[in-house]
Amino acid sequence: MEKIRLAVTGATGSVGGAVLDICARFPRIFEIRALSARSNAKKLAELGRKHNAGILCLTEPEDKNWREEGFLCLTGKEGLAAMVEEPSVDHAVFASSGVAAIEALQKALTRGIDVSLANKESIVVAGPWVMPLVKRADQLRPVDSEHSALWQCLRDAPKNELSRVWLTASGGPFRDYGAEEMERVTPEAALKHPVWKMGPKITVDSATLMNKGIECIEAMQLFDLPAEKVGALIHPRSQVHGMVEFIDGTVKLLLSQADMRLPAAAAIAWPKRLPLAENGLPPIEPAGWELDFREIDEKLFPCFALAREAGRLGGAYPALLVGADESAVKHFLGHEISYRAIAEVISEVLGRYGGNPPKTLEEAVALVEEGEKTADKICRDRRNR
C-alpha cells in the first residue's frame, strides 16, 4: 500500500501536534512531506527533523532571511500555496488559525488532493469561495471534534432524511456561573478550561462560547444547512461531540474520549479506521457514559447569541464577527476591557456596519480586518472615558 503523503499547516499547534502524533504511531501508513507554522522557527525545524519532512514554511518569519539546513524553506502565504502544490503531497492538513491559509486551501481543493480541515476562518469567512471548489464527496474532511462527529454521523445519509444537528460544548469554566459571578471574571480565570488544552485566544472563545457560535456558522457551510437546523448544547463531560437527528425521530451521536487525535485520525485515514484502542487511546467503557445535556443560556453567554445571529444574517456579518472577536479578546487578555465587554464590543461592531455583503474573497477578508480595526477603536474609546 502506498503511504499517504501529508503537508501539515499549523504543525506547532495542538491540532497539528495531534495529526503528527497519529502519523508517528502509524509510520507504515503516513509520511510527512511538509510542515508549516506561523513564526516558531526553532520548533518547526525540530518537528521537521523528527518527522523527516523535506519542506518547511513560516508564514510570518521573524527573520526574513530564515533558513534551516537540510530543508527547502518557504515563507508567507505564497509559501503555503507552493507547499500544497508540491507534487509529492497528496493530502493537505490545515490546522492553523486565521485567514492566511485560505489561498492554499483553495489551491489544494482545486488540485484535487484530499484535505483535512481544522481552520474555522477558512469556512466562516471564505465558505462561499471555498466550498464550491470541493470536487467529490469527502474530499474535505473536518478535524475539529464537533464537526468531525457530525461528518461521521452523516456518512452516506441522504440529506432529505436529515432533521437537525447539534454541536456540543463543555460549557467552559463558567458553565455554572450566574450573572453576578460573570461580572467578576478575569483573564486568568477564563484561561482555565476544564477539558481542552489550547492557546489563549481559543480558550477565551471557549469560555464565552463564541467558539461554539462560530462553529455553528461553520457547520452551516460545511454541511449546507440553514441556521435553524444547526444548534448547540452544553455537555459538561465532553464525551458526546456531535448529534444528528433524522426525520423519523432517531438520533445518531458520536461518543469518545476528548482527544484531538481521534478526529485527526478519522480525517487523515478515511475511509479506514485506525486501531487506536490498541495504540494507547482506549474507548470510554459503557459504564462511564454520561449523556447529560443542557440548553445554552444566551443571556449568560451573549457571544454565542451574537455568533448565531451573524450566521443567520450571513453576508458581511460572519467576517466582521471574526475580526471583532479577535480584537475584543486581545484587549480582554490585556486587562483593558472586562469579560462582559467582549460581547458588548462585538455587538457594537456588528451594529455599526451599513455596507454591502462581500462579492469577492478579498472583500470578505478585508471585512475581518475592518471588524478588528473598528473593535480596536471601540476598546480604546472605552479606556479613555
Side-chain angles (χ1 to χ4, degrees):
M1 183 184 76
E2 290 189 3
K3 291 185 179 181
I4 299 171
R5 303 169 299 177
L6 296 100
V8 182
T9 73
T12 58
S14 59
V15 178
V19 171
L20 294 179
D21 181 273
I22 293 297
C23 293
R25 288 170 186 265
F26 297 93
R28 293 184 179 181
I29 300 176
F30 304 107
E31 180 180 341
I32 301 297
R33 288 298 179 96
L35 299 172
S36 83
R38 183 176 179 181
S39 59
N40 194 334
K42 181 179 178 181
K43 186 173 181 181
L44 184 64
E46 290 173 355
L47 291 172
R49 294 185 182 97
K50 179 179 178 181
H51 296 280
N52 296 313
I55 302 172
L56 301 181
C57 178
L58 287 177
T59 55
E60 298 180 20
E62 294 179 359
D63 179 2
K64 293 183 179 179
N65 297 316
W66 163 76
R67 289 292 182 272
E68 290 289 345
E69 187 175 348
F71 299 99
L72 171 61
C73 295
L74 307 171
T75 58
K77 292 189 292 185
E78 300 81 4
L80 280 185
M83 193 174 86
V84 302
E85 291 187 309
E86 164 62 35
S88 65
V89 169
D90 48 35
H91 191 127
V93 179
F94 292 89
S96 58
S97 61
V99 298
I102 293 175
E103 181 182 346
L105 171 61
Q106 290 180 304
K107 288 186 178 296
L109 290 171
T110 299
R111 189 180 155 215
I113 64 174
D114 293 329
V115 171
S116 293
L117 182 68
N119 178 287
K120 294 177 177 61
E121 292 86 353
S122 294
I123 301 300
V124 173
V125 174
W129 298 276
V130 168
M131 295 308 297
L133 301 177
V134 177
K135 295 179 179 293
R136 62 183 185 279
D138 298 311
Q139 180 191 5
L140 180 63
R141 308 163 194 171
V143 176
D144 283 326
S145 61
E146 298 84 359
H147 299 95
S148 174
L150 296 182
W151 171 61
Q152 293 183 63
C153 288
L154 286 168
R155 280 186 182 181
D156 302 322
K159 190 174 179 182
N160 61 1
E161 294 182 358
L162 173 64
S163 179
R164 52 182 172 168
V165 303
W166 289 277
L167 307 168
T168 60
S170 71
F174 313 130
R175 62 191 174 211
D176 297 318
Y177 276 32
E180 191 173 320
E181 292 171 294
M182 288 292 200
E183 297 292 340
R184 300 192 295 271
V185 166
T186 65
E188 292 74 21
L191 291 172
K192 294 179 180 178
H193 196 279
V195 178
W196 302 100
K197 184 178 181 181
M198 305 170 289
K201 167 62 165 56
I202 188 64
T203 303
V204 173
D205 280 349
S206 296
T208 64
L209 294 192
M210 171 60 83
N211 190 49
K212 203 54 50 180
I214 288 176
E215 287 178 357
C216 286
I217 302 175
E218 185 180 3
M220 291 166 57
Q221 290 280 354
L222 283 172
F223 304 110
D224 191 24
L225 296 171
E228 61 270 18
K229 287 194 173 186
V230 180
L233 296 167
I234 289 177
H235 173 51
R237 289 299 301 276
S238 295
Q239 294 181 340
V240 175
H241 304 284
M243 300 181 288
V244 175
E245 181 185 289
F246 298 96
I247 56 174
D248 60 359
T250 57
V251 175
K252 185 187 292 186
L253 57 82
L254 186 139
L255 182 150
S256 75
Q257 300 278 10
D259 191 315
M260 282 305 301
R261 290 173 293 183
L262 294 168
I268 64 175
W270 184 93
K272 296 182 178 180
R273 291 191 181 273
L274 301 176
L276 299 180
E278 302 171 7
N279 285 268
L281 282 80
I284 304 171
E285 294 299 327
W289 294 354
E290 292 190 20
L291 304 183
D292 173 27
F293 304 98
R294 60 180 97 155
E295 297 286 343
I296 296 174
D297 186 334
E298 295 189 354
K299 291 183 179 179
L300 287 177
F301 296 100
C303 284
F304 175 76
L306 286 168
R308 296 282 288 144
E309 181 64 7
R312 187 188 67 80
L313 293 171
Y317 292 100
L320 287 167
L321 178 91
V322 167
D325 179 61
E326 185 74 32
S327 169
V329 170
K330 175 185 68 179
H331 287 279
F332 167 66
L333 288 172
H335 294 267
E336 297 164 352
I337 63 171
S338 69
Y339 174 81
R340 277 296 201 184
I342 296 174
E344 294 169 0
V345 168
I346 295 169
S347 179
E348 189 169 343
V349 171
L350 299 181
R352 284 186 183 187
Y353 187 72
N356 296 317
K359 294 181 180 179
T360 65
L361 173 58
E362 292 72 23
E363 289 181 1
V365 172
L367 281 166
V368 177
E369 185 176 350
E370 180 178 338
E372 189 168 357
K373 287 182 176 179
T374 303
D376 279 342
K377 184 178 186 307
I378 293 170
C379 290
R380 288 195 301 268
D381 291 344
R382 280 173 168 257
R383 289 201 309 271
N384 295 330
R385 286 176 187 169

